[in-house]
């Protein structure tokens, strides 16, 4: 999904952009860091652990305005998008959304994204670090008669957590009745918005596309509810990791295909054929038929050892390196370390004992089903 990105990408202060909520972040005590060409809050005074647990128990408000929003228009926008992604877009009802991927000719993943079908267009949300390349690729490869409109005049907020529905319904009663993975226009306290019941934290919640010049007003109205706290990139990353959700550029990238990534569920049966008409369809069809040589798995290290990205995964029986950690950290909800990794397919079953090479020392770990923490995320 168009998920969170770790705050590791830099830029000089003069080069960095600011979202419409920049001043609000400073007023809330946000610690600003460079990410994907923007200055973004990595945490607030509550701290990453506190923000994480607040989102799991109440409601957290995230600024995700750095992500890319766009609209494909034309006589059959859904079919046009299907020439670029493996997801079933034409099968969506109006106002329904789907997680899918932009693929390469060899079955790799350019990016993951969310697509919502409307009458006359498809609305897209893509990852911040990839949006310029994504939009250039989409615009260059759409069938004749279709176009891509980039929506630079909109901000994007995510309201996530078990109390998110009650919070938003107090300002827009219809929000409470929205189905998961649906999107519709809603007036929120007098502000016209486009709202989806979706998110990337493992919790129930919403993503709210709002005119950029009204984003600060809307965020202020949401934060005025005592159940809501501002949440930064740090907790956004730990939340999605506990939920077992991929981070583009880390758990999935150009070298991985959706099947081995455990994303086969996002590809409908009719799109699993070699002639499905999107880039890499034959490679992905073969992966379904033959099974992948490696798989993305969850790992629980023993004790309190944190296995960071890049840590080698070892078969303790042979001493052979059989994989690599792609995301790892402390899971506040489970009160311990969790990780995701690519491992050889024959060692990917839950319960398999493996080892991690952490700073030259072998540390036990066990393959675990994801999500790691109880959650409300519904596919």
């Amino acid at each position: 999904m168009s998920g969170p990105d770790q705050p590791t990408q830099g830029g000089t202060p003069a080069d960095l952009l600011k979202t419409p909520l920049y001043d609000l972040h400073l007023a809330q005590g946000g610690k600003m860091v460079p990410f994907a060409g923007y200055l973004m809050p990595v945490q607030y005074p509550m701290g990453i652990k506190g923000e994480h647990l607040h989102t799991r128990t109440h409601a957290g408000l995230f600024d995700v305005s750095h992500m890319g929003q766009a609209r494909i228009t034309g006589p059959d926008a859904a079919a046009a998008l299907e020439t670029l992604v493996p997801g079933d877009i034409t099968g969506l009802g109006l106002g329904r959304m789907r997680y899918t991927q932009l693929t390469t000719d060899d079955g790799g993943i350019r990016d993951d994204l969310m697509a919502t079908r409307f009458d006359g267009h498809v609305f897209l949300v893509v990852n911040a670090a990839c949006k310029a390349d994504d939009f250039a690729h989409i615009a260059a490869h759409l069938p004749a008669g279709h176009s891509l409109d980039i929506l630079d005049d909109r901000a994007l907020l995510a309201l996530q957590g078990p109390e998110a529905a009650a919070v938003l319904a107090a300002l827009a009663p219809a929000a409470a009745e929205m189905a998961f993975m649906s999107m519709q226009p809603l007036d929120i306290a007098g502000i016209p918005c486009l709202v989806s019941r979706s998110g990337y934290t493992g919790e129930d919640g919403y993503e709210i596309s709002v005119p950029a010049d009204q984003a600060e007003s809307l965020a202020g109205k949401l934060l005025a509810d005592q159940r809501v706290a501002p949440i930064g990139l740090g907790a956004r990353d730990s939340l999605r990791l506990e939920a077992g959700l991929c981070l583009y550029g880390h758990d999935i990238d150009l070298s991985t295909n959706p099947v081995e990534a455990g994303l086969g569920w996002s590809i409908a049966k009719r799109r699993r054929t070699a002639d499905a008409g999107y880039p890499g369809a034959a490679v992905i069809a073969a992966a379904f038929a033959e099974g992948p040589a490696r798989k993305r798995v969850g790992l629980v290290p023993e004790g309190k050892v944190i296995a960071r990205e890049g840590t080698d995964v070892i078969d303790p029986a042979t001493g052979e390196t059989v994989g690599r950690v792609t995301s790892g950290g402390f899971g506040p909800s489970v009160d311990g370390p969790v990780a995701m990794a690519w491992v050889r397919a024959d060692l990917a079953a839950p319960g398999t004992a493996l080892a991690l090479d952490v700073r030259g020392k072998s540390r036990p770990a066990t393959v675990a089903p994801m999500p790691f923490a109880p959650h409300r995320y519904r596919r």
Side-chain angles (χ1 to χ4, degrees), residues 25 27-31 43-48 51 230:
H25 296 316
Q28 293 284 331
K31 179 182 178 182
Q43 66 180 74
Y44 297 89
M46 186 185 292
I48 292 173
E51 292 170 30

Side-chain angles (χ1 to χ4, degrees), residues 94-369:
L94 297 182
R96 302 296 299 193
M97 62 195 310
R98 178 147 289 147
Y99 168 80
T100 189
Q101 308 84 33
L102 285 170
T103 51
T104 66
D105 289 339
D106 57 3
I109 301 174
R110 291 179 177 273
D111 196 9
D112 55 348
L113 68 149
M114 299 297 298
T116 307
R117 186 184 182 197
F118 289 102
D119 187 13
H121 74 275
V122 173
F123 180 78
L124 305 177
V125 177
V126 304
N127 284 311
C130 305
K131 65 182 178 182
D133 289 342
D134 288 352
F135 291 156
H137 173 74
I138 293 170
H141 293 89
L142 284 174
H146 295 82
S147 62
L148 180 75
D149 303 321
I150 299 173
L151 305 176
D152 285 332
D153 59 346
R154 301 191 71 82
L156 190 65
L157 308 181
L159 181 67
Q160 302 284 295
E163 294 183 339
V167 169
L168 194 57
L171 299 174
E177 304 305 318
M178 289 181 65
F180 183 63
M181 296 294 276
S182 70
M183 178 179 279
Q184 67 184 60
L186 282 182
D187 182 288
I188 304 176
I191 300 172
C193 300
L194 187 60
V195 180
S196 68
R197 194 159 195 173
S198 65
Y200 219 63
T201 62
E203 293 292 335
D204 188 15
Y206 304 84
E207 291 196 349
I208 307 168
S209 177
V210 55
D213 61 359
Q214 298 186 72
E216 185 171 353
S217 174
L218 176 59
K221 293 177 188 299
L222 293 169
L223 289 170
D225 191 309
Q226 63 180 0
R227 294 169 288 188
V228 181
I231 312 295
L233 290 175
R236 185 163 163 82
D237 191 54
S238 60
L239 288 158
R240 70 90 196 169
L241 175 57
E242 279 190 348
L245 301 174
C246 294
L247 175 61
Y248 188 79
H250 301 261
D251 311 298
I252 53 175
D253 56 29
L254 290 169
S255 70
T256 61
N257 71 59
V259 180
E260 62 188 357
L263 303 176
W265 57 266
S266 69
I267 305 176
K269 185 175 181 180
R270 75 171 185 87
R271 303 285 286 158
R272 299 183 182 187
T273 62
D275 60 354
Y278 63 88
V283 176
I284 292 171
F288 273 116
E290 300 166 9
R294 60 175 184 164
K295 292 183 177 180
R296 178 178 64 94
V297 301
L299 287 178
V300 175
E302 186 176 294
K304 297 296 184 180
V305 174
I306 301 295
R308 300 294 183 187
E309 180 180 356
T311 299
D312 285 339
V313 181
I314 310 297
D315 180 355
T318 64
E320 179 186 2
T321 298
V322 294
R324 177 179 58 85
V325 172
T326 56
S327 291
F330 180 80
S333 303
V334 298
D335 194 28
V338 292
M340 283 193 282
W342 288 97
V343 301
R344 210 171 63 201
D346 62 308
L347 297 173
T352 301
L354 295 171
L356 299 165
D357 183 356
V358 180
R359 295 183 293 278
K361 294 184 178 180
S362 179
R363 305 286 190 174
T366 303
V367 177

